[in-house]
């Protein structure tokens, strides 16, 4: 694409003009994709220029792509015919047909404006239809399953990112609130954006709303053991008598211990001590660079197994009950295997919460975590 003579080819304005011209060429090419004469130039018309390079070859069989495009062409025609009629006859001249449905549980388009106002109804239907088409298109290529899952996952992220609900100018709820607050809601949002930029990360909640020891993790306890990897917390009893066998909790390494000791009304630790259990909780250390050599074996030996030994020593019990949460549960399962290999029976019962033991199919995490990526990280 050539730049305008005398202009800076790298200026934002010139780049925008280049992309606008290219987008027009792409639209011409796309209109001919999947049609029977897609490989022939239209009589009297020049071959469209590439955007920004030659269109990629299709990885799907031509007849399959033709059928898919024909299937969606009919739905697009129905949508745009209705839109054209509305433009000609006015808002009261008709309505936007439903050519695509949001997925069950999708609350993005719950506002009545997405159904009642033609502008937003057209935008919603166009977005849902395009997203459905791209998702189905991503399933067509004859490529290995891992690559196909990765393609489908990335396509979904792309489609979700382009949702009209993500942008103030195309979200009726945002616009309505901005009008009702005389723009204060937008100013507040920009303030949050500026604060996130200063922190260097996107916050999901008000960081000042919770404080450990004030309204978070307030179940009384004390640290009874510490090594390079963990601190072990023993919580104070709240019942006249306690069970003979203590309960050792192993939370995930990427969460703080208070994931199991939130506020009083939803603290698992508070409930457990209220039921007469002597609770020990691992608090994992944020590993500094000099301890980056630690491996999974260290987390089992100096983490889970050490916590079990200390709990037995402090309580005087020969056995303990263990609870593992998330990857903490995976560590517990690995520790149990080590104990079994040693012929030791230190654990009387084990409870696992949201724990994965079989990693043959890890779900979506397998899309962006691969052996190659792990090797590169290491």
């Amino acid at each position: 694409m050539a730049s305008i003579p005398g202009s800076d080819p790298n200026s934002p304005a010139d780049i925008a003009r280049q992309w606008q011209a290219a987008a027009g060429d792409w639209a011409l090419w796309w209109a001919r994709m999947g049609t029977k004469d897609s490989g022939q130039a239209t009589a009297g018309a020049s071959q469209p220029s590439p955007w920004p390079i030659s269109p990629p070859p299709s990885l799907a069989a031509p007849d399959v792509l033709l059928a898919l495009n024909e299937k969606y062409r009919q739905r697009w025609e129905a949508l745009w015919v209705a839109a054209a009629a509305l433009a000609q006859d006015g808002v009261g001249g008709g309505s936007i047909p439903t050519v695509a449905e949001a997925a069950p549980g999708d609350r993005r388009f719950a506002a009545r404006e997405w159904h009642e106002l033609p502008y937003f109804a057209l935008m919603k239907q166009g977005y849902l239809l395009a997203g459905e088409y791209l998702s189905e298109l991503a399933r067509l290529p004859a490529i290995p399953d891992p690559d196909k899952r990765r393609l489908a996952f990335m396509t979904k992220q792309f489609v979700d990112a382009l949702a009209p609900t993500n942008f103030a100018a195309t979200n009726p709820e945002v616009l309505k609130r901005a009008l009702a607050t005389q723009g204060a809601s937008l100013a507040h949002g920009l303030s949050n954006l500026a604060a996130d930029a200063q922190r260097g990360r996107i916050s999901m909640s008000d960081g000042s709303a919770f404080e450990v020891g004030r309204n978070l993790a307030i179940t009384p306890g004390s640290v009874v053991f510490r090594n390079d990897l963990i601190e072990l917390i023993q919580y104070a009893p709240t019942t006249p008598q306690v069970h003979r066998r203590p309960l050792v909790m192993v939370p995930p390494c990427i969460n703080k211990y208070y994931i199991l000791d939130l506020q009083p009304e939803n603290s698992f630790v508070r409930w457990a001590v209220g039921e007469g259990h002597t609770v020990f909780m691992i608090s994992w250390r944020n590993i500094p660079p000099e301890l980056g050599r630690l491996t999974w074996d260290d987390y089992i030996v100096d983490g889970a197994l050490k916590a079990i030994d200390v709990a037995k020593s402090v309580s005087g019990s020969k056995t303990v009950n263990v609870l593992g949460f998330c990857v903490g549960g995976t560590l517990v399962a690995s520790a149990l295997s080590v104990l079994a290999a040693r012929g030791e029976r230190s654990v009387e019962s084990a409870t696992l919460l949201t724990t994965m033991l079989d990693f043959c199919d890890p779900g979506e995490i397998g899309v962006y975590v691969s052996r190659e990526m792990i090797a590169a990280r290491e």
Side-chain angles (χ1 to χ4, degrees), residues 15-374:
I15 291 174
R17 283 190 289 268
Q18 294 180 52
W19 277 100
Q20 286 173 352
D25 292 340
W26 177 264
L28 291 175
W29 174 78
W30 178 254
R32 294 170 52 232
M33 274 295 295
T35 59
K36 294 181 180 179
D37 61 346
S38 60
Q40 304 172 1
T42 304
S46 60
Q47 191 74 8
S49 60
W51 179 73
I53 58 175
S54 299
S58 172
L59 295 179
D63 57 334
V64 175
L65 185 60
L66 173 63
L68 178 65
N69 283 355
E70 178 63 20
K71 168 185 172 183
Y72 280 88
R73 181 188 63 79
Q74 297 174 8
R75 296 164 72 185
W76 276 114
E77 283 184 356
L79 185 62
W80 288 110
V81 165
L86 281 174
Q88 182 176 0
D89 301 334
V91 176
S95 61
I96 299 298
T98 299
V99 297
E101 294 284 356
D106 187 347
R107 298 179 297 175
R108 294 176 297 176
F109 301 101
R112 62 179 182 83
E113 288 84 0
W114 292 111
H115 314 283
E116 298 178 2
L117 299 183
Y119 170 77
F120 291 109
L122 176 63
M123 191 179 304
K124 170 192 172 183
Q125 289 300 313
Y127 165 74
L128 291 176
L129 188 57
E132 186 180 326
Y133 173 81
L134 290 174
S135 299
E136 195 165 344
L137 187 65
R139 296 194 293 268
L140 292 184
I143 55 179
D145 284 344
D147 294 331
K148 183 173 288 189
R149 286 196 298 269
R150 188 173 293 110
L151 176 62
F153 176 82
M154 296 306 298
T155 300
K156 184 179 185 303
Q157 306 313 304
F158 175 77
V159 170
D160 288 348
L162 291 182
T165 51
N166 291 339
F167 306 94
T170 54
N171 187 322
E173 292 180 277
V174 172
L175 294 173
K176 186 164 59 176
R177 183 168 179 80
L179 290 173
T181 61
Q182 296 183 340
S185 61
L186 296 179
H188 182 65
L190 290 173
S191 175
N192 288 337
L193 176 62
D196 285 346
Q198 290 180 340
R199 282 190 292 264
R201 60 181 175 83
I202 297 176
S203 59
M204 301 296 291
S205 61
D206 182 0
S208 63
F210 301 98
E211 181 183 350
V212 174
R214 177 174 62 86
N215 59 356
L216 189 70
I218 59 175
T219 305
S222 58
V223 175
V224 296
F225 174 81
R226 178 187 292 114
N227 62 17
D228 285 343
L229 187 57
I230 70 169
E231 286 186 342
L232 189 65
I233 303 168
Q234 180 182 1
Y235 291 92
T238 60
T239 56
Q241 290 183 316
V242 296
H243 298 293
R244 175 175 53 85
R245 188 181 303 115
L247 172 62
V248 178
M249 294 187 180
V250 184
C253 313
I254 59 174
N255 287 114
K256 298 299 183 182
Y257 67 93
Y258 45 79
I259 189 69
L260 293 170
D261 183 25
L262 297 173
Q263 294 181 304
E265 62 271 15
N266 59 355
S267 167
F268 187 85
V269 171
R270 185 182 180 90
W271 176 86
V273 295
E275 293 295 313
H277 294 280
T278 300
V279 176
F280 293 85
M281 172 82 75
I282 287 180
S283 175
W284 298 102
R285 182 181 182 182
N286 290 332
I287 299 301
E290 58 268 23
L291 292 181
R293 55 179 169 74
L294 296 179
T295 66
W296 183 257
D297 290 349
D298 296 307
Y299 276 76
I300 294 173
V301 175
D302 295 331
L305 292 178
K306 178 57 70 174
I308 291 171
D309 288 341
V310 173
K312 288 165 52 182
S313 176
V314 172
S315 66
S317 174
K318 294 182 178 180
T319 59
V320 301
N321 297 316
V322 176
L323 180 144
F325 177 43
C326 193
V327 74
T330 310
L331 281 167
V332 166
S334 299
L336 292 176
S337 299
V338 172
L339 291 175
R342 294 176 178 176
E344 298 181 20
R345 189 186 172 102
S346 295
V347 176
E348 187 68 24
S349 70
T351 301
L352 306 180
L353 305 177
T354 62
T355 294
M356 181 174 286
L357 300 179
D358 184 354
F359 288 82
C360 293
D361 183 9
E364 283 194 342
I365 193 174
V367 172
Y368 50 88
V369 175
S370 64
R371 293 184 182 276
E372 293 78 13
M373 187 274 285
I374 293 174

